[in-house]
Amino acid sequence: MAGADGDDSLYPIAVLIDELRNEDVQLRLNSIKKLSTIALALGVERTRTELLPFLTDTIYDEDEVLLALAEQLGNFTMLVGGPEYVHCLLPPLESLATVEETVVRDKAVESLRKISQEHSPVDLEVHFEPLVKRLASGDWFTSRTSACGLFSVCYPRVSSTVKAEIRQHFRTLCSDDTPMVRRAAASKLGEFAKVLELEYVKSDIISLFTALASDEQDSVRLLAVEACVSIATLLPQEDLETLVMPTLRQAAEDKSWRVRYMVADKFSELQKAVGPEITKNDLVPAFQNLLKDCEAEVRAAAANKVKEFCENLPEDNREQIIMTHILPCVKELVSDTNQHVKSALASVIMGLSTILGKDNTIEHLLPLFLAQLKDECPEVRLNIISNLDCVNEVIGIRQLSQSLLPAIVELAEDAKWRVRLAIIEYMPLLAGQLGVEFFDEKLNTLCMAWLIDHVYAIREAATCNLMKLVEKFGAEWAQNTIVPKVLGMANDPNYLHRMTTLFCINALSKACGQEITTKQMLPVVLKMSNDQVANVRFNVAKSLQKIGPILDSNALQTEVKPVLEKLASDTDMDVKYFAQEAISVPPSHSSLFTPLAAVILEPQSPQRTTTFSPSVRWKVLAADGATSC
Amino acid sequence: MSAISASEKVDGFTRKSMRKAQKQRKSQGSSQYRTHTAPVELSPLPQLKDAPSTEQQELFTQKLQQCCMLFDFLDSVTDLKSKEIKRATLNELVDYVSTNRGVLVEPAYPEITNMICTNIFRILPPSENPDFDPEEDEPTLEAAWPHIQLVYEFLLRFLENPDFQPSIAKRYIDQKFVLQLLELFDSEDPRERDFLKTILHRIYGKFLGLRAFIRKQINNIFLRFIYETEHFNGVAELLEILGSIINGFALPLKAEHKQFLMKVLIPLHTAKGLALFHAQLAYCVVQFLEKDPTLTEPVIRGLLKFWPKTCSQKEVMFLGEIEEILDVIEPTQFKKIQEPLFKQISKCVTNPHFQVAERALYFWNNEYILSLIEENIDKILPIMFGSLYRISKEHWNPTIVALVYNVLKTLMEMNCTLFDELTSSYKADRQREKKKEQEREELWKKLEELKLSDMPLVQNNSHGLPSVQNNNNNNNNSNSNHEDQERSAAAVTADDKDPDATAAVSESTPCAK
């Protein structure tokens, strides 16, 4: 063992070094991922004096290895001796934070942020903050980009002189001449603002924010929009108008659609941050403009926010604002030329009914729902159908059922299988809301038709759908409406359809219960063991294994066992394999199946019993082990 | 929706290109037009050539101003007359600046650049097809091209006019102008990018003061493309411009240029859409190496670092680039990188993808590379031998096997004795490798055990003994009393149960197996 010879403590690092130099990246990666093991074996002292310098010196490797290293080092505090020594981890992480590859750098910054919390205030000033400064004034843009993410973690815990320096560095990076750095600074602006004292938010952050928001590159300007949310939250209401709103108004009308898109995308957050008064006066018209934007991308992003925006309007005149300002735009979007816009709207529009109440919904929204249910784009119809529950609560689904049905039927027969798949997934929900009668009358045929779809994924989903329906409507319903049709397919000339019968049985047997399974399903399965197609036969074996736990032991012994034995000597090797599998390996969780294996494995014994002595049970276990090992 | 093709009925997974082909070629307008107010109808002005020379300049200005009116080309019915007038005027302007001398007087410059800026500088609209695959999809074309094309044409003729004076123009064609021009390279319309390429090249040639700025901005575009967005349509065009720029670099190369090679061009090889600009990229790299051969080693090491792991198509491109580099390599440089390089090549020849293996084996058809190999056969043969020998027996593709036999024959002729030695030691070498492999596994297993023995200790720590010294002590203990610890750990899990029962349990497990 490890401690047997005295010098053994040396070999972990030897292995590591050896492996780190291996040509195979995978081995180097393994080695890095075990770094904590190695550090543990070395002890804190040698980890600090040998391992870390070694790692710092050898940082030139594939990015994947570096990524693993950056991640590991974030969790190394205990392994170097606790918070008191945590600064030992800074040199390797510092060089990782200057690497070109973004994921590595980001991970290094993440680890640095993590260990910054473990620094004492003194160490933070002596070790961490100088590192941030070095990064912030690095030659190549990568180190400056990394620095942007580190200001906010050290700022709150350093002295006021150092704070002033940090603010100065951040300012410099916000006007860096590479756009990559300005983007990084802009994306951290909000986070940095949060840790600053309010006076500096007003004096420093606002001017940086204004500058970034009017940067020459739209990729920078759009990030300023994100920061706008945090900044607006920090400022007192009375300052918002002068400090934030001019910039925000400008962003909402930016000439680049990317910036306007960002405003639309962050609209709910902005709304919350600026409060109800400004929302009423400024954001409502801005939102209207975004809903009418010339770029579909922007309209779609805004359409997505319609419900949230309306929900968060001040309650006193919410209805009036919606009815006079928002709804007219929404009406136009229903017949937008772009399908993404319509489908974004369709995914939220139903939510308006709870806000507007029954009468408004019937008068104003229902015509829109109906129009969208007839939309040429399947995604739009699907989005309406998938949100039916909101309307159901307000006006009941019956109002819609006349238009609903043609829409469902058309989706059910859509040429794209993904669309069909999507509508199948809503069937149980629809069935629950429309009730069993409506379902039997209108939708049952559809559900059965999916079973013989030419795409396997649809047949599979249809099977699963049946199971959920049975869970909803009960075994008796199943016996009358579904089971006969499913079993009928066992005689279909197409073997894929015959297999579907088996898949349905697998899915339905549990929900249908022992009675139906034994009396109606089992005979069909057993009969199919004579099928001429091997795929059907081995699926019989699989099905028997699945439904075994539901059957009683008598049926298992007298009916299932002989069939499986016959299949176990089939000419086809796959059939044999699955038959043997069914005989020997019980499904993992069912204890019921053990007797089946036992029954079948005791062919020599003259009298077969259904109860076992402990010794027999042990034999079964042993035999089980033998076949599965 | 109702028209379903037969193939779609049979199989939901129709090929992407088939689905795409059904779509019509689309065109789109710029995002800019739609934010403008509706255009005023244009009325035709008299022809420039008919005007008396004293009024020509005034008329020229008027025409330039007239051409600042923008039209909606997605709407093909409105403003037809005005669109035609603008088109004719632009044609006339192109003709005017390319055939006449003395028309570029100083006051014309701001009018000219204003007309150009108004027309071409626009925010490119979002892509119609968010997962646009430039290799397979038809690009979306610019709807306003009938006008924009003429404006580009005009700009080009303006720059190429013998009277053109950069010293005056630099007030208008400044950094901001260049920056906006560079942003347009992201256009999906290849016709537009082609014009931009020529124009930027002219600007680079004529405005010495903008050169460094242009290079820096191209750098930024590339870095953003590599590390942030992975999306920019004009990479190939920008590289093409750079190819000719590099050609003109003075020797010795500035640090800035070397940095560009190592930190921008080499990482560009990692891009997903490398196929779209690889030819231009490889050209740039080779240009650099022809300028300064000492860069060969870092370049090849860089390529080896970014060597594709899973994409065979890219691997073939890398091999192509390596051959281009080897074509111009100096023998002294070759010696410096032959080992790592041939280790990679030896991996490539064993690649199960026959195109990769084939591309690597084609190196042996290159006379110059052959001479380099022959010169260094003592080093290269031992690296290559194992792989070649193995695939000569194992590769599934007969063409590859045939090629390998030829290569082996060539190598044998280069150094017969070494070849024989390697053949006879092949088996022993393989065994040695296997043994090494086993040893490594053993070592790791031991390490694993170490970790296992440390496990309880780690748990202890997290349960509230944060002291470092304690950690250290436990560590030593665990090394020496490993077996004891394991037993006690087992006892802990058994805890309140009868110890005999747990023993029985643990014994029954091996029995059952």
Side-chain angles (χ1 to χ4, degrees), chain A residues 91-160:
Chain A
L93 281 171
E94 181 175 350
S95 28
L96 287 169
T98 63
V99 163
E100 252 86 43
E101 178 53 51
T102 326
V103 283
V104 177
R105 238 185 308 136
D106 288 351
K107 189 56 86 180
V109 170
E110 195 187 312
S111 290
L112 279 170
R113 287 167 71 110
K114 204 164 165 186
I115 63 169
S116 73
Q117 303 307 318
E118 282 147 357
H119 281 70
S120 67
V122 175
D123 279 351
L124 210 57
E125 278 188 31
V126 176
H127 300 287
F128 197 88
E129 204 267 342
L131 168 144
V132 179
K133 270 195 241 167
R134 278 195 302 277
L135 287 176
S137 44
D139 279 340
W140 191 238
F141 79 96
T142 51
S143 72
R144 301 201 299 278
T145 317
S146 295
C148 293
L150 298 173
F151 293 117
S152 65
V153 291
C154 51
Y155 189 83
R157 295 169 58 211
V158 292
S159 66
S160 54

Coordinates of all heavy atoms in Angstrom, one line a residue, chain A residues 91-160:
Chain A
P91 N -0.6 33.5 -9.2 CA 0.3 33.5 -10.4 C -0.2 32.6 -11.5 O -0.4 33.1 -12.7 CB 1.6 33.1 -9.9 CG 1.6 33.5 -8.4 CD 0.2 33.3 -8.0
P92 N -0.5 31.3 -11.3 CA -1.0 30.5 -12.4 C -2.3 31.1 -13.0 O -2.5 31.1 -14.2 CB -1.2 29.1 -11.8 CG -1.2 29.3 -10.4 CD -0.4 30.5 -10.1
L93 N -3.2 31.5 -12.1 CA -4.5 32.0 -12.6 C -4.3 33.3 -13.4 O -5.0 33.6 -14.4 CB -5.5 32.2 -11.5 CG -6.2 31.0 -10.9 CD1 -7.0 31.2 -9.7 CD2 -7.1 30.3 -12.0
E94 N -3.3 34.1 -13.0 CA -3.1 35.3 -13.7 C -2.7 35.0 -15.1 O -3.2 35.6 -16.1 CB -2.0 36.2 -13.0 CG -1.7 37.5 -13.8 CD -0.7 38.4 -13.0 OE1 -0.4 38.1 -11.9 OE2 -0.3 39.3 -13.6
S95 N -1.8 34.0 -15.3 CA -1.4 33.8 -16.7 C -2.5 33.1 -17.5 O -2.7 33.3 -18.7 CB -0.1 33.0 -16.8 OG 0.1 32.2 -15.7
L96 N -3.4 32.3 -16.8 CA -4.5 31.7 -17.5 C -5.5 32.8 -17.9 O -6.2 32.7 -18.9 CB -5.2 30.7 -16.6 CG -4.5 29.4 -16.4 CD1 -5.2 28.6 -15.3 CD2 -4.5 28.6 -17.7
A97 N -5.6 33.9 -17.1 CA -6.5 35.0 -17.5 C -6.0 35.8 -18.7 O -6.8 36.7 -19.2 CB -6.7 35.9 -16.3
T98 N -4.8 35.5 -19.2 CA -4.4 36.3 -20.3 C -4.4 35.4 -21.6 O -4.0 35.9 -22.7 CB -2.9 36.8 -20.2 OG1 -2.1 35.6 -20.0 CG2 -2.8 37.6 -18.9
V99 N -4.8 34.2 -21.5 CA -4.9 33.3 -22.6 C -5.8 33.8 -23.7 O -6.8 34.5 -23.3 CB -5.3 31.9 -22.1 CG1 -5.8 31.0 -23.2 CG2 -4.1 31.2 -21.3
E100 N -5.6 33.4 -24.9 CA -6.5 33.9 -26.0 C -7.9 33.3 -25.9 O -8.9 34.0 -26.1 CB -5.9 33.5 -27.4 CG -5.4 34.6 -28.1 CD -3.9 34.9 -27.7 OE1 -3.2 33.9 -27.6 OE2 -3.6 36.1 -27.5
E101 N -8.0 32.0 -25.7 CA -9.3 31.3 -25.8 C -10.2 31.8 -24.7 O -9.9 31.8 -23.5 CB -9.0 29.8 -25.7 CG -10.3 29.0 -25.7 CD -11.2 29.3 -27.0 OE1 -10.7 29.3 -28.1 OE2 -12.4 29.5 -26.8
T102 N -11.4 32.2 -25.2 CA -12.3 32.9 -24.3 C -12.8 32.0 -23.1 O -12.9 32.4 -22.0 CB -13.6 33.3 -25.1 OG1 -13.2 33.7 -26.4 CG2 -14.3 34.4 -24.4
V103 N -13.1 30.7 -23.4 CA -13.6 29.9 -22.4 C -12.6 29.7 -21.2 O -12.9 29.6 -20.1 CB -14.1 28.5 -22.9 CG1 -15.4 28.6 -23.5 CG2 -13.0 27.8 -23.7
V104 N -11.3 29.6 -21.6 CA -10.2 29.4 -20.6 C -10.2 30.7 -19.7 O -10.2 30.6 -18.5 CB -8.9 29.2 -21.3 CG1 -7.8 29.1 -20.2 CG2 -8.9 27.9 -22.1
R105 N -10.1 31.8 -20.4 CA -10.0 33.1 -19.7 C -11.2 33.3 -18.8 O -11.1 33.7 -17.6 CB -10.0 34.2 -20.8 CG -8.8 35.1 -20.7 CD -9.0 36.2 -21.7 NE -9.3 35.8 -23.0 CZ -10.2 36.5 -23.8 NH1 -10.9 37.5 -23.2 NH2 -10.4 36.1 -25.0
D106 N -12.4 33.0 -19.3 CA -13.6 33.2 -18.5 C -13.6 32.3 -17.2 O -13.9 32.7 -16.2 CB -14.9 32.9 -19.3 CG -15.1 33.9 -20.3 OD1 -14.5 35.0 -20.3 OD2 -16.0 33.8 -21.2
K107 N -13.1 31.1 -17.4 CA -13.0 30.2 -16.3 C -12.0 30.7 -15.3 O -12.2 30.6 -14.1 CB -12.7 28.8 -16.8 CG -12.7 27.7 -15.8 CD -14.1 27.6 -15.1 CE -15.1 26.7 -15.9 NZ -16.4 26.6 -15.3
A108 N -10.8 31.2 -15.8 CA -9.8 31.7 -14.9 C -10.4 32.9 -14.1 O -10.1 33.0 -12.9 CB -8.6 32.1 -15.7
V109 N -11.1 33.7 -14.8 CA -11.7 34.9 -14.1 C -12.7 34.4 -13.0 O -12.8 34.9 -11.9 CB -12.4 35.8 -15.1 CG1 -13.2 36.9 -14.4 CG2 -11.4 36.5 -16.0
E110 N -13.5 33.4 -13.4 CA -14.5 32.8 -12.5 C -13.7 32.3 -11.2 O -14.2 32.6 -10.1 CB -15.2 31.7 -13.2 CG -16.5 31.2 -12.5 CD -17.0 30.0 -13.2 OE1 -17.1 30.0 -14.4 OE2 -17.3 29.0 -12.5
S111 N -12.6 31.6 -11.4 CA -11.9 31.1 -10.3 C -11.3 32.2 -9.5 O -11.3 32.1 -8.2 CB -10.8 30.1 -10.8 OG -11.4 28.9 -11.3
L112 N -10.8 33.2 -10.2 CA -10.2 34.4 -9.5 C -11.3 35.0 -8.6 O -11.0 35.4 -7.5 CB -9.6 35.3 -10.4 CG -8.2 35.0 -11.0 CD1 -7.8 35.9 -12.1 CD2 -7.2 35.1 -9.9
R113 N -12.5 35.2 -9.2 CA -13.5 35.8 -8.4 C -13.9 35.0 -7.2 O -14.1 35.5 -6.1 CB -14.8 35.9 -9.3 CG -14.7 37.0 -10.3 CD -15.8 36.9 -11.4 NE -17.1 37.3 -10.8 CZ -17.7 38.4 -11.2 NH1 -17.2 39.2 -12.1 NH2 -18.9 38.7 -10.7
K114 N -13.8 33.7 -7.4 CA -14.2 32.8 -6.3 C -13.1 32.9 -5.2 O -13.5 33.1 -4.0 CB -14.1 31.4 -6.8 CG -14.9 30.4 -6.1 CD -15.1 29.2 -7.0 CE -15.5 27.9 -6.3 NZ -15.5 26.8 -7.3
I115 N -11.8 32.9 -5.5 CA -10.8 32.9 -4.5 C -10.6 34.3 -3.9 O -10.1 34.5 -2.8 CB -9.5 32.3 -4.9 CG1 -8.8 33.1 -6.0 CG2 -9.6 30.8 -5.2 CD1 -7.4 32.7 -6.3
S116 N -11.1 35.3 -4.6 CA -11.0 36.7 -4.1 C -11.7 36.8 -2.7 O -11.3 37.5 -1.8 CB -11.5 37.7 -5.1 OG -12.9 37.6 -5.1
Q117 N -12.8 36.0 -2.6 CA -13.6 36.0 -1.4 C -12.9 35.4 -0.2 O -13.2 35.7 0.9 CB -14.9 35.3 -1.6 CG -15.8 35.8 -2.7 CD -16.0 37.3 -2.7 OE1 -16.3 37.8 -1.6 NE2 -15.9 38.0 -3.8
E118 N -11.9 34.6 -0.6 CA -11.2 33.9 0.5 C -9.9 34.7 1.0 O -9.3 34.4 1.9 CB -10.7 32.5 0.1 CG -11.9 31.6 0.1 CD -11.9 30.5 -0.9 OE1 -11.0 30.5 -1.8 OE2 -12.8 29.6 -0.9
H119 N -9.7 35.8 0.3 CA -8.6 36.7 0.7 C -9.0 37.6 1.9 O -10.1 38.1 1.9 CB -8.1 37.6 -0.5 CG -7.3 37.0 -1.5 ND1 -7.8 36.0 -2.4 CD2 -6.0 37.2 -1.8 CE1 -6.8 35.7 -3.2 NE2 -5.7 36.3 -2.9
S120 N -8.0 37.8 2.8 CA -8.3 38.7 3.8 C -8.2 40.1 3.2 O -7.5 40.3 2.2 CB -7.3 38.6 4.9 OG -6.0 39.0 4.4
P121 N -8.8 41.2 3.8 CA -8.7 42.5 3.2 C -7.3 42.9 3.0 O -7.0 43.5 2.0 CB -9.3 43.4 4.3 CG -10.3 42.5 5.0 CD -9.7 41.1 5.0
V122 N -6.4 42.5 3.9 CA -5.0 42.9 3.7 C -4.4 42.2 2.5 O -3.8 42.8 1.6 CB -4.1 42.6 4.9 CG1 -2.6 42.9 4.7 CG2 -4.6 43.3 6.1
D123 N -4.6 40.9 2.4 CA -4.1 40.2 1.2 C -4.7 40.7 -0.1 O -4.1 40.7 -1.1 CB -4.4 38.7 1.4 CG -3.5 38.0 2.3 OD1 -2.5 38.6 2.6 OD2 -3.7 36.8 2.6
L124 N -5.9 41.1 0.0 CA -6.6 41.6 -1.2 C -5.9 42.8 -1.7 O -5.6 42.9 -2.9 CB -8.0 42.0 -0.8 CG -9.1 41.9 -1.9 CD1 -9.2 40.5 -2.4 CD2 -10.5 42.3 -1.4
E125 N -5.4 43.7 -0.8 CA -4.7 44.8 -1.2 C -3.2 44.5 -1.6 O -2.7 45.1 -2.5 CB -4.7 45.9 -0.2 CG -6.0 46.7 -0.2 CD -6.0 47.9 0.7 OE1 -4.9 48.5 0.9 OE2 -7.0 48.3 1.2
V126 N -2.7 43.6 -0.9 CA -1.2 43.3 -1.2 C -1.1 42.4 -2.4 O -0.1 42.6 -3.2 CB -0.6 42.6 0.1 CG1 0.9 42.2 -0.2 CG2 -0.7 43.5 1.3
H127 N -2.0 41.4 -2.6 CA -1.8 40.5 -3.7 C -2.8 40.6 -4.8 O -2.4 40.6 -6.0 CB -1.8 39.0 -3.1 CG -0.8 38.8 -2.1 ND1 0.6 38.6 -2.4 CD2 -0.8 38.6 -0.8 CE1 1.3 38.4 -1.3 NE2 0.4 38.4 -0.3
F128 N -4.0 40.7 -4.4 CA -5.1 40.6 -5.5 C -5.2 41.8 -6.3 O -5.2 41.8 -7.5 CB -6.4 40.2 -4.8 CG -7.4 39.7 -5.8 CD1 -7.5 38.3 -6.0 CD2 -8.3 40.5 -6.4 CE1 -8.4 37.8 -6.9 CE2 -9.2 40.0 -7.3 CZ -9.3 38.7 -7.6
E129 N -5.3 43.0 -5.6 CA -5.5 44.2 -6.3 C -4.4 44.5 -7.3 O -4.6 44.9 -8.5 CB -5.7 45.3 -5.3 CG -6.5 46.5 -5.9 CD -5.6 47.6 -6.4 OE1 -4.4 47.5 -6.1 OE2 -6.1 48.4 -7.2
P130 N -3.1 44.3 -6.9 CA -2.0 44.5 -7.9 C -2.2 43.6 -9.1 O -1.9 44.1 -10.3 CB -0.7 44.1 -7.1 CG -1.1 44.3 -5.7 CD -2.6 44.0 -5.6
L131 N -2.7 42.4 -8.9 CA -2.9 41.5 -10.1 C -3.9 42.2 -11.0 O -3.8 42.2 -12.2 CB -3.4 40.2 -9.6 CG -3.9 39.2 -10.6 CD1 -3.5 37.8 -10.2 CD2 -5.4 39.2 -10.7
V132 N -5.0 42.7 -10.4 CA -6.1 43.3 -11.3 C -5.5 44.5 -12.0 O -5.7 44.6 -13.2 CB -7.2 43.8 -10.4 CG1 -8.3 44.4 -11.2 CG2 -7.8 42.6 -9.6
K133 N -4.6 45.2 -11.4 CA -4.0 46.4 -12.0 C -3.1 45.9 -13.2 O -3.1 46.5 -14.3 CB -3.2 47.2 -11.0 CG -4.0 48.3 -10.4 CD -3.0 49.2 -9.7 CE -3.3 49.2 -8.2 NZ -2.2 49.9 -7.4
R134 N -2.3 44.9 -12.9 CA -1.5 44.3 -14.0 C -2.3 43.9 -15.2 O -2.0 44.2 -16.3 CB -0.6 43.2 -13.5 CG 0.6 43.6 -12.7 CD 1.6 42.4 -12.6 NE 1.0 41.2 -11.9 CZ 0.9 41.1 -10.6 NH1 1.4 42.0 -9.8 NH2 0.3 40.0 -10.0
L135 N -3.3 43.2 -14.9 CA -4.2 42.7 -16.0 C -4.8 43.9 -16.7 O -4.8 44.0 -18.0 CB -5.3 41.8 -15.5 CG -4.9 40.4 -15.0 CD1 -6.1 39.7 -14.5 CD2 -4.3 39.6 -16.2
A136 N -5.2 44.9 -16.0 CA -5.9 46.1 -16.6 C -5.0 46.9 -17.5 O -5.4 47.6 -18.3 CB -6.5 47.0 -15.5
S137 N -3.7 46.8 -17.2 CA -2.8 47.5 -18.1 C -2.0 46.6 -19.0 O -0.9 47.0 -19.4 CB -1.9 48.5 -17.2 OG -1.4 47.8 -16.1
G138 N -2.4 45.4 -19.2 CA -1.7 44.5 -20.0 C -1.6 45.0 -21.5 O -2.4 45.8 -21.9
D139 N -0.7 44.4 -22.2 CA -0.5 44.8 -23.6 C -1.6 44.3 -24.5 O -2.1 45.0 -25.3 CB 0.8 44.3 -24.1 CG 2.0 45.1 -23.7 OD1 1.7 46.3 -23.3 OD2 3.1 44.6 -23.7
W140 N -1.9 43.1 -24.4 CA -2.8 42.4 -25.3 C -4.2 42.5 -24.7 O -4.4 42.5 -23.5 CB -2.3 41.0 -25.5 CG -3.0 40.2 -26.6 CD1 -3.7 39.1 -26.5 CD2 -3.1 40.6 -28.0 NE1 -4.2 38.7 -27.7 CE2 -3.8 39.6 -28.6 CE3 -2.5 41.6 -28.8 CZ2 -4.1 39.6 -30.0 CZ3 -2.8 41.6 -30.1 CH2 -3.5 40.7 -30.7
F141 N -5.2 42.6 -25.6 CA -6.5 42.8 -25.1 C -7.1 41.8 -24.2 O -7.9 42.1 -23.3 CB -7.5 43.0 -26.3 CG -7.9 41.7 -26.9 CD1 -9.1 41.1 -26.6 CD2 -7.1 41.0 -27.9 CE1 -9.5 39.9 -27.1 CE2 -7.5 39.8 -28.4 CZ -8.7 39.3 -28.0
T142 N -6.6 40.6 -24.2 CA -7.1 39.5 -23.4 C -7.0 39.8 -21.9 O -8.0 39.6 -21.2 CB -6.4 38.2 -23.7 OG1 -5.0 38.3 -23.6 CG2 -6.8 37.7 -25.1
S143 N -5.9 40.3 -21.5 CA -5.7 40.5 -20.1 C -6.6 41.7 -19.6 O -7.2 41.6 -18.5 CB -4.2 40.8 -19.7 OG -3.9 42.0 -20.2
R144 N -6.7 42.7 -20.5 CA -7.6 43.8 -20.1 C -9.1 43.4 -20.0 O -9.8 43.8 -19.1 CB -7.4 45.0 -21.1 CG -6.0 45.5 -21.2 CD -5.9 46.9 -21.7 NE -6.4 47.0 -23.1 CZ -5.7 46.7 -24.2 NH1 -4.4 46.3 -24.1 NH2 -6.2 46.9 -25.4
T145 N -9.4 42.5 -21.0 CA -10.8 42.0 -20.9 C -11.1 41.2 -19.6 O -12.1 41.4 -19.0 CB -11.0 41.0 -22.1 OG1 -10.4 41.5 -23.2 CG2 -12.5 40.7 -22.3
S146 N -10.1 40.4 -19.2 CA -10.2 39.7 -18.0 C -10.3 40.6 -16.8 O -11.1 40.3 -15.9 CB -9.1 38.7 -17.8 OG -9.1 37.7 -18.8
A147 N -9.6 41.6 -16.8 CA -9.6 42.6 -15.6 C -11.0 43.1 -15.4 O -11.4 43.3 -14.2 CB -8.6 43.7 -15.9
C148 N -11.7 43.4 -16.5 CA -13.0 43.9 -16.3 C -13.9 43.2 -15.3 O -14.7 43.7 -14.6 CB -13.8 44.0 -17.7 SG -13.0 45.2 -18.8
G149 N -13.7 41.8 -15.3 CA -14.6 41.0 -14.5 C -14.1 41.0 -13.0 O -14.7 40.3 -12.2
L150 N -13.0 41.6 -12.7 CA -12.4 41.5 -11.3 C -12.6 42.7 -10.4 O -12.4 42.6 -9.2 CB -10.9 41.1 -11.4 CG -10.7 39.8 -12.1 CD1 -9.2 39.6 -12.3 CD2 -11.2 38.6 -11.3
F151 N -12.9 43.8 -11.1 CA -13.0 45.0 -10.3 C -14.1 44.9 -9.2 O -13.9 45.3 -8.0 CB -13.4 46.2 -11.2 CG -12.3 46.6 -12.1 CD1 -12.5 46.5 -13.5 CD2 -11.1 47.0 -11.6 CE1 -11.4 46.8 -14.3 CE2 -10.0 47.3 -12.5 CZ -10.2 47.3 -13.8
S152 N -15.2 44.4 -9.6 CA -16.4 44.4 -8.6 C -16.1 43.5 -7.4 O -16.7 43.8 -6.4 CB -17.7 44.1 -9.3 OG -17.6 42.7 -9.8
V153 N -15.3 42.5 -7.6 CA -15.1 41.6 -6.4 C -14.2 42.1 -5.4 O -14.3 41.8 -4.2 CB -14.7 40.2 -6.8 CG1 -15.8 39.4 -7.5 CG2 -13.5 40.2 -7.7
C154 N -13.2 43.0 -5.8 CA -12.3 43.5 -4.8 C -12.7 44.9 -4.3 O -12.3 45.3 -3.2 CB -10.9 43.4 -5.2 SG -10.5 44.1 -6.8
Y155 N -13.5 45.6 -5.1 CA -13.8 47.0 -4.7 C -14.4 47.2 -3.3 O -13.9 48.0 -2.5 CB -14.8 47.6 -5.7 CG -15.0 49.1 -5.5 CD1 -14.1 50.0 -6.0 CD2 -16.1 49.5 -4.8 CE1 -14.3 51.4 -5.9 CE2 -16.3 50.9 -4.6 CZ -15.4 51.8 -5.1 OH -15.6 53.2 -5.0
P156 N -15.4 46.4 -2.9 CA -16.0 46.6 -1.6 C -15.1 46.4 -0.4 O -15.3 46.9 0.7 CB -17.1 45.6 -1.5 CG -17.3 45.1 -2.9 CD -16.0 45.2 -3.6
R157 N -14.0 45.7 -0.6 CA -13.2 45.3 0.6 C -11.8 46.0 0.7 O -10.9 45.5 1.4 CB -13.1 43.8 0.7 CG -14.4 43.1 0.9 CD -14.4 41.7 0.7 NE -13.4 41.0 1.6 CZ -12.7 40.0 1.3 NH1 -12.8 39.4 0.1 NH2 -11.8 39.5 2.2
V158 N -11.6 47.1 -0.1 CA -10.3 47.7 0.0 C -10.4 49.1 0.5 O -11.5 49.7 0.6 CB -9.6 47.7 -1.4 CG1 -9.2 46.3 -1.8 CG2 -10.5 48.3 -2.5
S159 N -9.3 49.7 0.8 CA -9.3 51.1 1.4 C -9.7 52.1 0.3 O -9.7 51.8 -0.9 CB -7.9 51.4 1.9 OG -7.0 51.5 0.8
S160 N -10.0 53.3 0.8 CA -10.6 54.3 -0.2 C -9.6 54.8 -1.2 O -9.9 55.1 -2.3 CB -11.1 55.5 0.6 OG -10.1 56.0 1.4

